[in-house]
Structure formats: C-alpha cells, structure tokens
Amino acid sequence: MDVSYILDELNKPQREAVSAPPAPVLVLAGAGSGKTRVLVHRIAWLIEVEHVAPFSILSVTFTNKAAHEMRGRIEDLLGTPVGGMWVGTFHGLAHRLLRRHWQEAKLPQHFQILDSDDQLRLVKRAQRSLDLDDKLWPPRQAQWFINARKDEGVRPQYMQENGDINYLQMIRIYTAYEDLCKQSGVVDFGELLLRSLELIRDNPELQKHYQQRFRHILVDEFQDTNELQYAWLQLLSGASSPVFAVGDDDQSIYGWRGAKIENIQNFTRDYSSAITVKLEQNYRSTSNILDAANALIANNAGRLGKNLWTDDPDGELIKLYAAYNEIDEASYIAGQIHKWVEQGGKRDEIAILYRSNAQSRVFESQFIEQGIPYRVYGGQRFFERAEIKDALAYLRITANRDDDPSFERVVNQPTRGIGEKTVSVIRDYATQHSLSMWQASKEVVANGHLTARAGNAVNGFIELINEMADGIYELALHDQVRHVIASSKLKEHFLKKEGDEKGNNRVENLKELISASQAFEYKPEDEHANLDILTAFLSHAALEAGEGQGDPNEDSVQMMSMHSAKGLEFPQVFITGMEEGLFPHKNALEEAGRMEEERRLCYVAITRARQVLTLSYAEQRQLYGNTMYGIVPSKFIHEIPGSLIDEVRSQQVPTWNTFGSKRQNQSSYQSSNETGFSIGQRISHATFGEGVILDTEGAGSSARVQVNFDYEGSKWLVLAYANLSAI
C-alpha cells in the first residue's frame, strides 16, 4: 500500500515525529507549527505503516471539541472509520473506564456526575451536617479545596493535620462530602480521574489488561497536565506502551489552576529512552513577530529550547503606542480598527488582548461610542458581570428603596442569614398589601411575621442601606461608588468565597467600577437632564449593558483575556496595558515562578498575531478606582529588540532611548539606588498597607518612591515622611 500521502504534506521535523519508532516521543511543538497535523498523521502512520489496530490507540485531548475534530481528521485522512480507538479528554476517558468497571470501582451502576453547581450544593449539605456556619466557612472555598486535593490525588484520610484550624475543618468537610457522595451514588469531575486511577492501580488484572490493550498513548497540550493526569498516563502506559507527548513548555500558562510545567520538563527523565523532536517552523506569523517572541521567551530559565522561524517575509515592524491614558489607548486602537476596515479588512480579524478583564470596560465604552461592534470572547461584558450587577444593585437601592429587583439581588448578598424562606415571606406580604419589598420588609419585622433571628437579619439589612444612603450624601460620584462597595463588603465576600484568582478578578472589576464612575461625564443637556448624578450614572450603566456587543453572526472585533486567546490566531492583534504591575501582574513580583509564567503568557499573546502586532501602554491609567501616574512600561517591552519596534507616537524622550538595550543588560527592576530601596521590593506603609516599589527618583531629603499598593493603587511618596518598612 502506498502510504506516501501520510508524509507528503509534512516538513522534515514533522515527518521525523510522525514516523518515529515505537518509543516514548516528546514533540516540542512551537506556536503555529502544526501540532494537530502531527498528531493526526502520527495516528494514521501507526495504523497504516506500523499496522497498529485502532483498538490499541488511546489519544488524549483537552477539550471535547478537539477530540471530535481529531477523530474526524483521522478518518478523512485514512478514508475509513477508526472504530475502537479511544479519543477524548482526561475526564471523558476516565468516565468511560468507570462505566465499564463500576463494580470494581465500588460505584453504583447508574452513578451520576455532579456539575459544579450540584457539587457546591452537596458541599453545603456536608457543612450543615457538621454544623458549620457558611459565613465563617464559605462553601465555595471548601469546594476548591476538595477539587485541588483530588487533582493532587489525595484522599482526606491520608492528609496530615498541621495544627491549622482552617486546614483541619477543610479535612472534616472533605470527609463528610465524600460520605455524602457515596450515599448518593454520585461523583464529581475530579473524582472521575482519581477514581479511575485508583481502579487501575488497585486491580492488577485490569491494570495488565489496559496496559496491554493501549500499546500507543498520544497526549496533546502535554504542558497543561496536572499531577494527577500525569500519574494516570504513567499508570496506563506501564513499562511497554510508549507515550507520544505533544506540547510546548513556552506556552505553559495555567500553573494557577494546577498545571505542572515540570511534567513536560521532566519527560525525558521519566522516559529515559525518549526521542525529542522540535517543531520550530511557524506557519502563522511574520518573521518580525516571531523574532520578537523568541527574544522575549529567551529570558526564561530552564527552557527545553526552540526557536521559531518562518519562510514568510519579515512583515511590518511591531507597533508600540505610548498612550497618554487608558482613554487615549482605546481611542487609538478604535482608529486603527476603522483604518483596517477601510482598507478592506474585517473586524473579526482583529483581537484586543488584555491581562485583566477589568481593562475591557474602557474599550467597550469607546467602541459603543464609535459604533464598532465587538464581542467579549469567553467572558461577559463589563456591566453584565455578576459582581458589577451586585454593586449597581446596592447603588440603585440607595437611590430608590422601592426597587424590588435590586432588593432581591442584594438582600442576602453577601450572605447575612436571610434565606429564601424569609424572602418568600416578604415577597408574599408585598404582593398581598401592594407594597414594595422594602416597605414590606419593614412591616413584617415590625409585625413579628419572622423569627427573631430572621427579623434581626432583615432589620440589619435595612439599617445597612440607610447608613449607605446617609454616607454618600453630597459625595462626588466616584466616592459614592467607593463608599457603597466598601460598606457592602462585596470585595471581602468574593475574596473569601472564590479564592485568589477568581476572587481577585471580581475585586479588580469592582475597583474598575469606581474608575468608570470617575470617568463618567454628566451632561444635563442630554438624556440625563434633571437627574442627580448617581441616577444618571445608573441609567448610563443600564444602557451600556444593553447594547454594543455584536450579534454572533455580525462582523465584530474580538476582545479577550490573554489566557482565553491560547489556541487562537488573528491577522491583527493589540496587546494592551503593557505596564509594570498590570502586565506582568504585580503578583508576579511576589511568587516564585510567576514572572516566568507571565512571560510565557506574553509569548502566547504575541504569537496569536499573523500579520500586524501592536503593543500599547499608558503613561497614566485610571484602573481599579485609582489613578496611577509615572507608570513604568512593561519589562517585556524592553526584552524585545529595538530594531523590531516602530514607535507610533514620539515622545519628548523616545521610549527606546530611555528603556532600550542598555536597560536590558542592566535592569533597574532589581538594582538599588540612592533611595536605599530597590524596584520590585515589597514594603509596608502605616496607612496604605503593603505594596511593591515600581520606581524611585532623587536623593537625600527629596528622594521619592512610586509604590503600587495592594488596595490603594499607585502613589508617589517622599521617603523623608513615608516611614516605609521593608518586608
């Protein structure tokens, strides 16, 4: 049989990977280098040339969509169905194993799978069985704890108490939750993989069967595997089934959710006979874009090493726009979008990438104003986000106590002991007596229609809203918003309920709402005539929430976080907010390994661009409710050779004269100076709390430092009076 068609369309390294002997193989597949093509053709090679039965192949992908696409492409290439081959996600394949061997797995035959919401309800039930207060022990936090332990392959009975009361309670909740799952005959997503690993590990005959059956195991996006997934793969492969791992250590950006970059870095150690093939030819981007990406990522230590290149022309230089502020940044990008369309391009060929979802607000506002359709990919528009709607509901009810939808949204958000039963009593009373729920709540309390505990909780809410309204009287709009957010305790609620990453995102968005109110222009001559400024702002927010986002079928600009952009590509890409403390994120200065992951994220963002790439930063920025001055451009900009950069707007002192190659060799981010402090150093201030030094200037009594405080934003302080303490 002529099988040349399997190799004909491949370049030399791709052919080397596809036709590798049946041994462990690590394919380092750079961005845009054709990794999916290699996986598909490898499976075709195994079937057609090595005469491996499809029955003996296991292929793991990270999404069901990718699994479906892979199977379809294999069948198209071979011209025949490939029945018996297992292709799917880790969870999907684990589920398949458990369904086949439910008895050995000690599960009921018709076990059910919990989604995230169902799991949370069961966690709450477990906590109630332990008589734990949800306010003191947020169920969402316990849910994350349980899932994280399962991803590590750890059961509660094997966890060691360390004297920490919080840790001890988490173990108790985990134990009670597992008991409830067993009683109910249900499993969560983490349990699928952990239970299937235990199934194979603890049943020698099954282990032998599957190690003999799956003679070839292929894994996509190997750099994103976590500890449990890698252990699962190693168990199934055993001593004789080679693993064909495809991934890119330079695109490992999910460490915050459990992915272990060490898995791909240690692959050749764990499989000593492994062959390594590098796919470095890129079929996506211009040479200038790839040169920028290569120069940037070269600053990471411990890389497995590869260098992207292309046969395509150099292309345009990378544009660098130094905006005056965030509005100027958004306005410039809007102008570039108009130019692209005027020259025959489509809006959906353009992507706006940002590090923080809160950055989307200014772009949304600018695009609505200029009539540019847009879509927020993988997320919600700013004014439609739950935390923003919560804060706006508090603001609305301070302005209008009879706003029933707002009353229902925040009466128990954050939780304050007002359950659905109590709300139903208030709702029914309001309906029967033709009252608003606010008025009804006061009457049901006064008339004793509630238990003492529920009555006290409702009365506490009433007092809170009244105090909010009194507290914002005659304040500027942004101070009204700031006061209400602080009084509502929403920030503390989300941080405690949803943990670091998601909770911090919500807090950043709440702070950005303050910026939105500060930027709001009140024009009595327009549709807001005769309204107080708060009501005008709330009307503006409602209108923005209801328009602007493009129809799915409309030609719309794509807006997304850099994490969401992985796997996508666009002819034109804008990477925005390239500033120290924003990107790289300020947390990267504080946690080991985070700076390198931030750099990998920048590498991913750069390599999304095919033809045109623009980087932008602002000299001052209003973000998270604070105006930051004297912003330091991102160190990632400095790591791109100046010869690849075209500065779009010249300043009095060109950026590259100030921050160019000299700074690359002698980075001031780590050097000390006459102030006695170092940029990047973490300090504490008696009033503003903890923060990170972003810049320093001067000496002696006039020496100043710029500090980005965790909760107060960026501030310049005179050292003679600041009394800073190093941490």
Side-chain angles (χ1 to χ4, degrees), residues 24-94:
V25 178
L26 175 62
V27 181
L28 287 177
S33 63
K35 69 178 179 65
T36 304
R37 169 176 285 193
V38 165
L39 278 165
V40 167
H41 285 247
R42 172 63 172 181
I43 293 172
W45 178 270
L46 291 173
I47 293 171
E48 291 289 274
V49 178
E50 301 289 349
H51 305 296
V52 174
F55 179 84
S56 299
I57 296 173
L58 175 74
S59 182
V60 187
T61 64
F62 263 78
T63 66
N64 288 314
K65 179 181 177 183
H68 179 75
E69 178 188 350
M70 181 175 291
R71 180 179 288 275
R73 288 176 63 171
I74 293 166
E75 292 180 347
D76 287 345
L77 183 61
L78 294 176
T80 183
V82 283
M85 183 173 67
W86 283 29
V87 182
T89 64
F90 279 104
H91 290 111
L93 296 169

Coordinates of all heavy atoms in Angstrom, one line a residue, residues 24-94:
P24 N 8.9 6.2 23.5 CA 8.5 7.5 24.0 C 9.0 8.6 23.1 O 10.2 8.7 22.8 CB 9.0 7.5 25.4 CG 9.3 6.1 25.8 CD 9.7 5.4 24.5
V25 N 8.1 9.5 22.8 CA 8.5 10.7 22.0 C 7.9 12.0 22.6 O 6.8 12.0 23.0 CB 7.9 10.5 20.5 CG1 8.2 11.8 19.7 CG2 8.4 9.3 19.9
L26 N 8.8 13.0 22.7 CA 8.4 14.3 23.1 C 8.5 15.2 21.9 O 9.6 15.4 21.4 CB 9.3 14.8 24.3 CG 9.0 16.3 24.7 CD1 7.6 16.4 25.3 CD2 10.0 16.7 25.8
V27 N 7.3 15.7 21.5 CA 7.3 16.7 20.4 C 7.1 18.1 20.9 O 6.1 18.4 21.5 CB 6.2 16.4 19.4 CG1 6.2 17.3 18.2 CG2 6.3 14.9 18.9
L28 N 8.2 18.9 20.9 CA 8.1 20.3 21.3 C 7.6 21.1 20.1 O 8.3 21.4 19.2 CB 9.5 20.8 21.7 CG 10.1 20.3 23.0 CD1 11.5 20.8 23.3 CD2 9.1 20.6 24.2
A29 N 6.3 21.4 20.2 CA 5.6 22.0 19.1 C 5.4 23.5 19.4 O 4.5 23.8 20.2 CB 4.3 21.3 18.8
G30 N 6.2 24.3 18.7 CA 6.0 25.7 18.9 C 4.7 26.3 18.4 O 4.0 25.6 17.6
A31 N 4.4 27.5 18.7 CA 3.1 28.1 18.3 C 3.0 28.1 16.8 O 4.0 28.5 16.1 CB 3.0 29.5 18.8
G32 N 1.9 27.7 16.3 CA 1.7 27.7 14.8 C 2.5 26.7 14.0 O 2.7 26.9 12.8
S33 N 3.0 25.7 14.7 CA 3.9 24.8 14.0 C 3.3 23.5 13.4 O 3.9 22.6 12.9 CB 5.1 24.4 14.9 OG 4.6 23.7 16.0
G34 N 1.9 23.4 13.6 CA 1.2 22.2 13.1 C 1.2 21.0 14.0 O 1.2 19.9 13.5
K35 N 1.0 21.2 15.3 CA 1.0 20.1 16.2 C -0.2 19.2 16.0 O -0.1 18.0 16.1 CB 1.0 20.6 17.7 CG -0.3 21.3 18.1 CD -0.1 21.7 19.6 CE -1.4 22.4 20.1 NZ -2.6 21.5 20.1
T36 N -1.4 19.7 15.7 CA -2.6 18.9 15.5 C -2.4 18.0 14.2 O -2.7 16.8 14.2 CB -3.9 19.7 15.3 OG1 -4.0 20.5 16.5 CG2 -5.1 18.8 15.2
R37 N -1.8 18.6 13.2 CA -1.5 17.8 12.0 C -0.5 16.7 12.3 O -0.7 15.5 11.8 CB -0.8 18.7 10.9 CG -0.2 18.0 9.8 CD 0.3 18.9 8.7 NE -0.8 19.5 8.0 CZ -0.6 20.2 6.8 NH1 0.6 20.4 6.3 NH2 -1.7 20.7 6.2
V38 N 0.4 16.9 13.2 CA 1.4 15.8 13.5 C 0.7 14.7 14.3 O 0.9 13.5 14.0 CB 2.6 16.4 14.4 CG1 3.3 15.3 15.1 CG2 3.5 17.2 13.5
L39 N -0.2 15.1 15.2 CA -0.9 14.1 16.0 C -1.8 13.2 15.1 O -1.8 12.0 15.2 CB -1.8 14.7 17.0 CG -1.1 15.1 18.4 CD1 -1.9 16.1 19.2 CD2 -0.8 13.9 19.2
V40 N -2.5 13.9 14.2 CA -3.4 13.1 13.2 C -2.6 12.2 12.3 O -2.9 11.0 12.2 CB -4.2 14.2 12.4 CG1 -4.9 13.5 11.2 CG2 -5.2 14.9 13.3
H41 N -1.5 12.7 11.8 CA -0.7 11.9 10.9 C 0.1 10.8 11.6 O 0.3 9.8 11.0 CB 0.3 12.8 10.1 CG -0.4 13.6 9.0 ND1 -0.2 13.4 7.7 CD2 -1.3 14.6 9.0 CE1 -0.9 14.2 6.9 NE2 -1.6 15.0 7.8
R42 N 0.4 11.1 12.9 CA 1.1 10.0 13.7 C 0.1 8.8 13.8 O 0.5 7.6 13.7 CB 1.5 10.6 15.0 CG 2.0 9.5 16.0 CD 3.3 8.9 15.5 NE 3.9 8.0 16.6 CZ 5.0 7.3 16.4 NH1 5.7 7.4 15.3 NH2 5.5 6.6 17.4
I43 N -1.1 9.1 14.1 CA -2.1 8.0 14.3 C -2.3 7.3 13.0 O -2.4 6.0 13.0 CB -3.4 8.5 14.9 CG1 -3.2 9.0 16.3 CG2 -4.5 7.5 14.8 CD1 -4.4 9.8 16.9
A44 N -2.4 8.0 11.9 CA -2.5 7.4 10.6 C -1.3 6.5 10.3 O -1.4 5.4 9.7 CB -2.7 8.5 9.5
W45 N -0.1 7.0 10.6 CA 1.1 6.2 10.4 C 1.1 4.9 11.2 O 1.5 3.9 10.7 CB 2.3 7.1 10.8 CG 3.6 6.4 10.7 CD1 4.3 5.7 11.7 CD2 4.5 6.4 9.6 NE1 5.5 5.2 11.2 CE2 5.6 5.6 9.9 CE3 4.4 6.9 8.3 CZ2 6.7 5.3 9.0 CZ3 5.4 6.7 7.4 CH2 6.5 5.9 7.7
L46 N 0.7 5.0 12.5 CA 0.6 3.8 13.3 C -0.3 2.8 12.7 O 0.0 1.6 12.7 CB 0.2 4.2 14.7 CG 1.2 5.0 15.6 CD1 0.5 5.4 16.9 CD2 2.4 4.2 15.9
I47 N -1.4 3.2 12.2 CA -2.4 2.3 11.7 C -2.0 1.7 10.3 O -2.0 0.5 10.1 CB -3.8 3.0 11.6 CG1 -4.3 3.3 12.9 CG2 -4.8 2.1 10.8 CD1 -5.6 4.2 12.9
E48 N -1.5 2.6 9.4 CA -1.2 2.2 8.1 C 0.2 1.5 7.9 O 0.3 0.6 7.1 CB -1.3 3.4 7.1 CG -2.8 3.9 6.9 CD -3.6 2.9 6.1 OE1 -3.6 3.0 4.9 OE2 -4.3 2.0 6.8
V49 N 1.2 2.0 8.6 CA 2.6 1.6 8.4 C 3.0 0.6 9.5 O 3.5 -0.5 9.2 CB 3.5 2.8 8.4 CG1 5.0 2.3 8.2 CG2 3.2 3.7 7.3
E50 N 2.7 0.9 10.8 CA 3.1 0.0 11.9 C 2.0 -1.1 12.1 O 2.2 -1.9 12.9 CB 3.2 0.8 13.2 CG 4.3 1.9 13.1 CD 5.7 1.4 13.0 OE1 5.9 0.2 13.2 OE2 6.6 2.2 12.7
H51 N 0.9 -1.0 11.4 CA -0.2 -2.0 11.4 C -0.7 -2.1 12.9 O -1.0 -3.3 13.3 CB 0.3 -3.3 10.9 CG 0.8 -3.2 9.5 ND1 0.1 -2.9 8.4 CD2 2.1 -3.4 9.0 CE1 0.8 -2.9 7.3 NE2 2.1 -3.2 7.7
V52 N -0.8 -1.0 13.5 CA -1.4 -1.0 14.9 C -2.9 -0.9 14.7 O -3.5 -0.1 14.0 CB -0.9 0.2 15.7 CG1 -1.6 0.3 17.0 CG2 0.6 0.1 15.9
A53 N -3.6 -1.8 15.4 CA -5.1 -1.7 15.4 C -5.6 -0.4 16.1 O -5.1 -0.1 17.1 CB -5.7 -2.9 16.1
P54 N -6.6 0.2 15.5 CA -7.2 1.4 16.2 C -7.6 1.1 17.6 O -7.5 2.0 18.5 CB -8.4 1.8 15.3 CG -8.0 1.3 14.0 CD -7.2 0.0 14.2
F55 N -8.0 -0.1 17.9 CA -8.4 -0.6 19.2 C -7.2 -0.4 20.2 O -7.5 -0.3 21.4 CB -8.7 -2.1 19.1 CG -9.1 -2.8 20.3 CD1 -10.4 -2.7 20.8 CD2 -8.2 -3.5 21.1 CE1 -10.8 -3.3 22.0 CE2 -8.5 -4.1 22.3 CZ -9.9 -4.1 22.7
S56 N -6.0 -0.4 19.8 CA -4.8 -0.3 20.7 C -4.3 1.1 20.9 O -3.2 1.3 21.4 CB -3.7 -1.1 20.1 OG -4.1 -2.5 20.0
I57 N -5.1 2.1 20.4 CA -4.6 3.5 20.4 C -5.5 4.3 21.4 O -6.7 4.2 21.4 CB -4.6 4.2 19.0 CG1 -3.6 3.5 18.1 CG2 -4.3 5.7 19.1 CD1 -3.7 3.9 16.7
L58 N -4.8 5.1 22.3 CA -5.5 6.0 23.2 C -5.0 7.4 22.9 O -3.8 7.6 23.0 CB -5.2 5.6 24.6 CG -5.8 6.5 25.7 CD1 -7.3 6.4 25.8 CD2 -5.1 6.2 27.1
S59 N -5.8 8.3 22.6 CA -5.4 9.7 22.3 C -6.2 10.6 23.2 O -7.4 10.6 23.3 CB -5.7 10.0 20.8 OG -5.2 11.3 20.6
V60 N -5.4 11.5 24.0 CA -6.0 12.4 25.0 C -5.9 13.8 24.5 O -4.8 14.3 24.1 CB -5.2 12.2 26.3 CG1 -6.0 13.0 27.4 CG2 -5.1 10.8 26.7
T61 N -7.0 14.5 24.5 CA -7.0 15.9 24.2 C -7.6 16.7 25.4 O -8.0 16.1 26.4 CB -8.0 16.2 23.0 OG1 -9.3 15.8 23.4 CG2 -7.6 15.3 21.8
F62 N -7.6 18.0 25.3 CA -8.0 18.8 26.4 C -9.4 19.3 26.3 O -10.0 19.9 27.3 CB -7.0 19.9 26.7 CG -6.0 19.6 27.8 CD1 -5.0 18.8 27.5 CD2 -6.2 20.0 29.1 CE1 -4.1 18.4 28.5 CE2 -5.3 19.6 30.1 CZ -4.2 18.8 29.8
T63 N -10.1 19.2 25.2 CA -11.5 19.6 25.0 C -12.2 18.5 24.2 O -11.6 17.9 23.3 CB -11.6 21.0 24.3 OG1 -11.1 20.9 23.0 CG2 -10.8 22.0 25.0
N64 N -13.5 18.4 24.4 CA -14.3 17.5 23.6 C -14.3 17.9 22.1 O -14.3 17.1 21.2 CB -15.7 17.5 24.1 CG -15.8 16.7 25.5 OD1 -15.2 15.7 25.6 ND2 -16.5 17.3 26.4
K65 N -14.3 19.2 21.9 CA -14.3 19.8 20.5 C -13.0 19.3 19.8 O -13.1 18.8 18.6 CB -14.3 21.3 20.5 CG -14.3 21.9 19.2 CD -14.3 23.4 19.2 CE -14.2 24.1 17.9 NZ -14.2 25.5 17.9
A66 N -11.9 19.4 20.5 CA -10.6 18.9 19.9 C -10.6 17.4 19.6 O -10.1 17.0 18.6 CB -9.4 19.3 20.8
A67 N -11.2 16.7 20.5 CA -11.3 15.2 20.3 C -12.1 14.9 19.1 O -11.8 14.0 18.3 CB -11.9 14.5 21.6
H68 N -13.3 15.6 19.0 CA -14.2 15.3 17.8 C -13.5 15.7 16.5 O -13.5 15.0 15.5 CB -15.4 16.1 18.0 CG -16.4 16.0 16.9 ND1 -17.2 14.8 16.7 CD2 -16.7 16.8 15.8 CE1 -17.9 15.0 15.7 NE2 -17.7 16.2 15.1
E69 N -12.8 16.8 16.5 CA -12.1 17.3 15.3 C -10.9 16.3 15.0 O -10.8 16.0 13.8 CB -11.5 18.7 15.6 CG -10.7 19.2 14.4 CD -9.9 20.5 14.7 OE1 -10.2 21.1 15.8 OE2 -9.1 20.9 13.9
M70 N -10.2 15.8 16.0 CA -9.1 14.9 15.7 C -9.6 13.6 15.1 O -9.1 13.1 14.1 CB -8.3 14.6 17.0 CG -7.2 13.7 16.8 SD -6.2 13.4 18.3 CE -5.5 15.1 18.4
R71 N -10.7 13.0 15.6 CA -11.2 11.8 15.1 C -11.7 12.0 13.6 O -11.4 11.2 12.7 CB -12.4 11.3 15.9 CG -13.0 10.0 15.4 CD -14.2 9.5 16.3 NE -13.7 9.0 17.5 CZ -13.3 7.7 17.7 NH1 -13.3 6.9 16.7 NH2 -12.9 7.3 18.9
G72 N -12.3 13.1 13.4 CA -12.8 13.4 12.0 C -11.7 13.6 11.0 O -11.7 13.0 9.9
R73 N -10.6 14.2 11.4 CA -9.4 14.4 10.5 C -8.7 13.1 10.3 O -8.2 12.9 9.2 CB -8.5 15.5 11.1 CG -9.0 16.9 11.0 CD -8.1 17.9 11.7 NE -6.8 18.0 11.0 CZ -6.0 19.0 11.3 NH1 -6.3 19.9 12.2 NH2 -4.8 19.0 10.7
I74 N -8.6 12.2 11.3 CA -8.0 10.9 11.1 C -8.8 10.1 10.1 O -8.2 9.5 9.1 CB -7.9 10.2 12.4 CG1 -6.9 10.9 13.3 CG2 -7.4 8.7 12.2 CD1 -7.0 10.4 14.8
E75 N -10.1 10.1 10.2 CA -11.0 9.3 9.3 C -10.9 9.9 7.9 O -10.9 9.2 6.9 CB -12.4 9.3 9.9 CG -12.5 8.4 11.1 CD -13.9 8.3 11.7 OE1 -14.8 9.1 11.3 OE2 -14.1 7.5 12.6
D76 N -10.8 11.2 7.8 CA -10.7 11.9 6.5 C -9.4 11.5 5.8 O -9.3 11.2 4.6 CB -10.8 13.4 6.6 CG -12.2 13.9 6.9 OD1 -13.2 13.1 6.7 OD2 -12.4 15.0 7.3
L77 N -8.3 11.4 6.6 CA -7.0 11.1 6.0 C -6.9 9.7 5.6 O -6.4 9.3 4.5 CB -5.9 11.4 7.1 CG -4.5 11.2 6.7 CD1 -4.1 12.1 5.5 CD2 -3.5 11.4 7.9
L78 N -7.5 8.8 6.4 CA -7.5 7.3 6.1 C -8.6 6.9 5.1 O -8.5 5.9 4.5 CB -7.6 6.5 7.4 CG -6.4 6.6 8.4 CD1 -6.7 5.8 9.6 CD2 -5.1 6.1 7.7
G79 N -9.6 7.7 5.1 CA -10.7 7.4 4.2 C -11.6 6.2 4.7 O -12.3 5.6 4.0
T80 N -11.5 6.0 6.1 CA -12.3 4.9 6.7 C -12.5 5.2 8.1 O -11.7 5.9 8.8 CB -11.5 3.6 6.5 OG1 -12.3 2.5 7.1 CG2 -10.2 3.6 7.2
P81 N -13.6 4.7 8.8 CA -13.8 4.9 10.2 C -12.7 4.2 11.0 O -12.1 3.2 10.6 CB -15.2 4.3 10.4 CG -15.8 4.2 9.1 CD -14.7 4.0 8.1
V82 N -12.5 4.7 12.2 CA -11.4 4.1 13.1 C -12.1 3.7 14.4 O -11.9 4.2 15.4 CB -10.3 5.1 13.4 CG1 -9.4 5.2 12.2 CG2 -10.8 6.5 13.8
G83 N -13.0 2.7 14.2 CA -13.7 2.2 15.4 C -12.8 1.5 16.4 O -11.8 0.9 16.0
G84 N -13.1 1.7 17.6 CA -12.4 1.0 18.7 C -11.3 1.9 19.3 O -10.8 1.6 20.3
M85 N -10.9 3.0 18.5 CA -9.9 3.9 19.1 C -10.5 4.8 20.1 O -11.6 5.3 19.9 CB -9.3 4.7 17.9 CG -8.1 5.6 18.4 SD -7.3 6.4 17.0 CE -8.6 7.5 16.4
W86 N -9.8 4.9 21.2 CA -10.3 5.8 22.3 C -9.7 7.2 22.1 O -8.5 7.4 22.2 CB -9.9 5.3 23.7 CG -10.8 4.1 24.1 CD1 -11.4 3.2 23.4 CD2 -11.0 3.8 25.5 NE1 -12.1 2.3 24.1 CE2 -11.9 2.7 25.5 CE3 -10.7 4.3 26.7 CZ2 -12.4 2.0 26.6 CZ3 -11.2 3.7 27.9 CH2 -12.0 2.6 27.8
V87 N -10.5 8.2 21.8 CA -10.1 9.6 21.7 C -11.0 10.4 22.6 O -12.2 10.4 22.5 CB -10.2 10.1 20.2 CG1 -9.7 11.5 20.1 CG2 -9.4 9.2 19.3
G88 N -10.4 11.2 23.5 CA -11.2 12.0 24.3 C -10.4 12.8 25.3 O -9.2 12.8 25.3
T89 N -11.1 13.5 26.2 CA -10.5 14.3 27.3 C -10.1 13.3 28.4 O -10.6 12.2 28.5 CB -11.4 15.4 27.8 OG1 -12.5 14.7 28.4 CG2 -11.9 16.3 26.7
F90 N -9.3 13.8 29.3 CA -9.0 13.0 30.5 C -10.3 12.6 31.2 O -10.4 11.4 31.6 CB -8.1 13.8 31.5 CG -6.6 13.8 31.1 CD1 -6.1 14.9 30.5 CD2 -5.8 12.7 31.3 CE1 -4.7 15.0 30.2 CE2 -4.5 12.7 31.0 CZ -3.9 13.9 30.4
H91 N -11.2 13.5 31.5 CA -12.4 13.2 32.2 C -13.3 12.3 31.4 O -13.9 11.4 32.0 CB -13.1 14.5 32.6 CG -12.4 15.3 33.6 ND1 -11.9 16.6 33.3 CD2 -12.2 15.1 34.9 CE1 -11.3 17.0 34.4 NE2 -11.5 16.2 35.4
G92 N -13.4 12.5 30.1 CA -14.2 11.7 29.3 C -13.7 10.2 29.3 O -14.5 9.3 29.3
L93 N -12.4 10.0 29.1 CA -11.9 8.7 29.1 C -12.0 8.0 30.5 O -12.2 6.8 30.6 CB -10.4 8.7 28.6 CG -10.2 9.2 27.2 CD1 -8.7 9.5 26.9 CD2 -10.7 8.2 26.2
A94 N -11.7 8.8 31.5 CA -11.9 8.2 32.9 C -13.3 7.8 33.1 O -13.6 6.7 33.7 CB -11.4 9.3 33.9

